[in-house]
Amino acid sequence: MTDSSPRLAREKSPPKAAIVHLGLGAFFRAHGALITEDAMRDCGRDWGIIGVSLRSPGIRDKLAEQDNVYTAVEMSGTGRVPRVVEALSGVVFAPEDPDALLLQMADPAIKIVSLTVTEKGYCHIPATGELDVSQADIQADIKSKHPSTAVGYLVRALAMRRNAGLRPFTVLSCDNLPNNGRVAQNVVVGLAACIDADLARWIASECRFPSTMVDRIVPATAAEDIDLLADTCGHRDLTPVFHEPFCQWVIEDRFVDGARPDYGSVAGVQMVENVEPFELMKLRMLNGTHSALAYLGYLAGCETISDTVLEAVFRGYLQRVWRDEIIPTITPPLGVDLTAYADELLRRYANPAIKHRTWQIAMDGSQKLPQRILGTIAECQGAGRRCDGLILAVAGWMRYVGGVDEKGKTIDVQDPLAERLRAVTEAGSGPHDVVDQLLSVREIFSAALAEDLKEDLAQAYEALAANGVRQSMMSYIDRAR
Ligand code: CS2
């Protein structure tokens, strides 16, 4: 990037804010923000977004230098299509001034607070979907009026609205969790109940928490892409986002007083009564195989998802896992052909312009495995069907959290439970013991599933250690013909 390139600048005046979005990462900036901007264009009303970063000031600082606009670049085999996004009305780094953010959230002009805070941002117990009150951050948010968690901000802002006699906002979860609206409701009402029972009752009856299914592949932005963009577009953008062409957002149409942008007018968006069939399909077929490819691919030395599916063995593995293990557990949403959906996923994974690192997807496996893979395994086993492909993926995760890849190189394992998982692995005396120890982590595996899985998992784990990823996949493919 040359410093002489002109700085990116806003062309129109910023829209008036009606949405606060918590978690201003690349995903939201390449998905919800774009869709909201399209909806604003169609309905001619202001649904500007105040983007909130909860953890670091970096994005706020960069966006401040360019009037809070940024470039979203669609990447495909045929080229790059840049678009400047002007949907942000403002950007806030929450810890710097929690009171100011709460005041904004309590402003009657705000109708929606949306969230992309990742699985762990809900501070819930994955197995039950309820608030984990034992977490230190949640304990702190019960006591302090200056929250640190997204859940804390939601509760304190809703309390302010109630005290001022205002209507609540809609809480719109956009994270990859089954029933994400329900989980959001559980944790918000759960925290409110620890503070004020009347507030909890008011939120439960007046607030709305629609579930949504979000889908677009958006890798973390890499430094070299930023340079390339400056060369292609001629303007300097400190924080662009790069995404695939595919975009889907399925939203339950339950908003407080019906107040929402005309999302339904935007291509790729569906307003529905019940999002569950879409969520299940996407979490199991896309995110489940993404995680499988992340662990197995990383161990085998593949840097990105597109690198994995360049190899016939990974493609063969994927196709069998979809056909024999995942699809049989899913009731498709009306009109959707799951085999065609799988074919399209494979094409999306193969997009050579998207550099989605296996390491990035491998993060936070303890929070992801249950809804992405373990539910499918439990259902297969319940129906008496084998699911050796998914078991191999879990064994891959177990090898991954052990912290050493197939070439003996150390892995930087990022997971809220990383230390515990590593300690458990190191204390294990031999493969069977390691598998047993990891299966005893109850946040991830139920006792019943652990019991059902232990023999097959130990075998898969040993095979991975002895023969490596590719050979193990090959044997699986041979058995599944
Ligand atoms: C990925 C998702 O990082 C991950 O865990 O599986 O971010 C995935 O790219 C999106 O859900 C696609 O919609």
Side-chain angles (χ1 to χ4, degrees):
M1 170 171 34
T2 55
D3 279 344
S4 57
S5 327
R7 184 181 67 102
L8 182 60
R10 189 180 282 277
E11 292 201 337
K12 295 187 255 53
S13 52
K16 263 187 62 209
I19 299 173
V20 169
H21 182 80
L22 306 182
L24 193 58
F27 179 77
F28 177 73
R29 291 195 292 130
H31 182 268
L34 261 68
I35 291 173
T36 306
E37 185 173 63
D38 287 342
M40 272 193 262
R41 193 170 302 143
D42 292 347
C43 71
R45 257 200 62 188
D46 274 0
W47 283 97
I49 303 164
I50 296 172
V52 180
S53 156
L54 293 161
R55 300 268 161 261
S56 94
I59 177 79
R60 189 270 321 263
D61 295 344
K62 288 177 184 159
L63 284 167
E65 288 198 36
Q66 49 196 51
D67 304 338
N68 293 330
V69 300
Y70 60 90
T71 322
V73 191
E74 182 179 298
M75 311 280 285
S76 70
T78 54
R80 334 169 136 231
V81 185
R83 155 177 174 180
V84 175
V85 184
E86 302 211 356
L88 294 174
S89 320
V91 180
V92 172
F93 171 47
E96 210 165 68
D97 193 348
D99 283 331
L101 173 56
L102 287 171
L103 273 174
Q104 258 165 338
M105 294 169 74
D107 186 315
I110 297 300
K111 305 294 183 201
I112 296 172
V113 177
S114 50
L115 303 150
T116 46
V117 292
T118 79
E119 295 83 350
K120 59 178 182 276
Y122 290 77
C123 308
H124 68 301
I125 304 167
T128 61
E130 301 299 326
L131 181 71
D132 183 357
V133 272
S134 71
Q135 290 189 18
D137 285 352
I138 291 296
Q139 279 300 319
D141 281 3
I142 293 174
K143 293 183 196 113
S144 164
K145 287 201 164 151
H146 289 158
S148 68
T149 67
V151 189
Y153 275 103
L154 290 166
V155 171
R156 294 288 172 185
L158 285 165
M160 287 164 72
R161 290 177 85 107
R162 176 168 172 263
N163 291 342
L166 295 171
R167 298 286 292 145
F169 43 67
T170 296
V171 177
L172 191 62
S173 168
C174 307
D175 283 291
N176 287 317
L177 286 166
N179 273 317
N180 51 13
R182 175 85 53 80
V183 175
Q185 174 162 15
N186 286 348
V187 295
V188 169
V189 174
L191 179 59
C194 299
I195 296 171
D196 171 352
D198 285 340
L199 172 66
R201 273 192 289 276
W202 180 76
I203 295 176
S205 77
E206 300 303 318
C207 196
R208 295 289 174 270
F209 299 82
S211 285
T212 78
M213 179 272 248
V214 291
D215 190 8
R216 170 164 264 182
I217 294 176
V218 187
T221 300
E224 58 268 28
D225 290 328
I226 300 184
D227 293 347
L228 231 119
L229 178 71
D231 295 342
T232 330
C233 294
H235 59 235
R236 183 166 62 97
D237 185 337
L238 302 171
T239 180
V241 288
F242 297 85
H243 59 82
E244 64 169 341
F246 184 91
C247 184
Q248 190 176 16
W249 197 4
V250 187
I251 307 173
E252 276 175 7
D253 203 358
R254 288 191 292 114
F255 286 71
V256 175
D257 305 327
R260 60 163 173 80
D262 186 8
Y263 291 127
S265 68
V266 181
V269 181
Q270 280 161 275
M271 304 303 298
V272 299
E273 249 175 56
N274 175 15
V275 87
E276 237 179 279
F278 294 91
E279 274 179 335
L280 201 70
M281 169 182 81
K282 193 256 172 172
L283 275 169
R284 291 187 175 182
M285 291 191 61
L286 190 159
N287 298 110
T289 55
H290 241 187
S291 289
L293 291 178
Y295 299 116
L296 295 168
Y298 188 97
L299 290 171
C302 299
E303 199 191 334
T304 65
I305 291 292
S306 57
D307 289 344
T308 62
V309 297
L310 273 179
E311 294 187 36
V313 64
F314 278 94
R315 289 198 302 277
Y317 165 82
L318 264 182
Q319 281 158 333
R320 279 164 186 78
V321 168
W322 276 321
R323 186 193 68 191
D324 300 342
E325 302 181 16
I326 303 180
I327 290 181
T329 68
I330 297 172
T331 307
L334 202 68
V336 177
D337 172 345
L338 294 178
T339 307
Y341 184 76
D343 292 344
E344 185 171 19
L345 288 181
L346 190 51
R347 279 194 296 277
R348 290 170 63 194
Y349 291 177
N351 183 341
I354 293 284
K355 305 268 176 263
H356 204 181
R357 294 174 67 198
T358 47
W359 178 81
Q360 189 194 341
I361 299 168
M363 271 188 230
D364 294 348
S366 66
Q367 313 290 303
K368 293 175 173 175
L369 282 192
Q371 64 271 16
R372 293 182 176 206
I373 296 183
L374 301 182
T376 319
I377 294 183
E379 276 183 39
C380 277
Q381 299 215 322
R385 258 194 325 271
R386 292 199 67 82
C387 48
D388 295 342
L390 291 174
I391 288 176
L392 189 63
V394 179
W397 170 78
M398 290 184 160
R399 303 272 313 148
Y400 183 93
V401 297
V404 183
D405 75 5
E406 280 192 348
K407 294 235 161 75
K409 282 215 316 255
T410 304
I411 306 173
D412 173 14
V413 178
Q414 298 279 330
D415 193 295
L417 301 187
E419 267 174 40
R420 199 164 128 211
L421 297 171
R422 171 84 69 100
V424 156
T425 310
E426 279 167 5
S429 57
H432 271 81
D433 194 36
V434 170
V435 169
D436 277 354
Q437 297 291 333
L438 287 169
L439 280 174
S440 68
V441 178
R442 282 290 158 265
E443 288 93 327
I444 310 175
F445 301 96
S446 70
L449 187 65
E451 187 53 36
D452 282 354
L453 278 184
K454 66 180 191 204
E455 286 311 316
D456 290 343
L457 249 181
Q459 261 182 32
Y461 185 94
E462 274 195 292
L464 275 179
N467 312 323
V469 166
R470 291 182 180 82
Q471 188 56 50
S472 302
M473 282 182 160
M474 231 117 77
S475 325
Y476 163 68
I477 293 171
D478 284 344
R479 288 198 307 273
R481 260 180 217 294

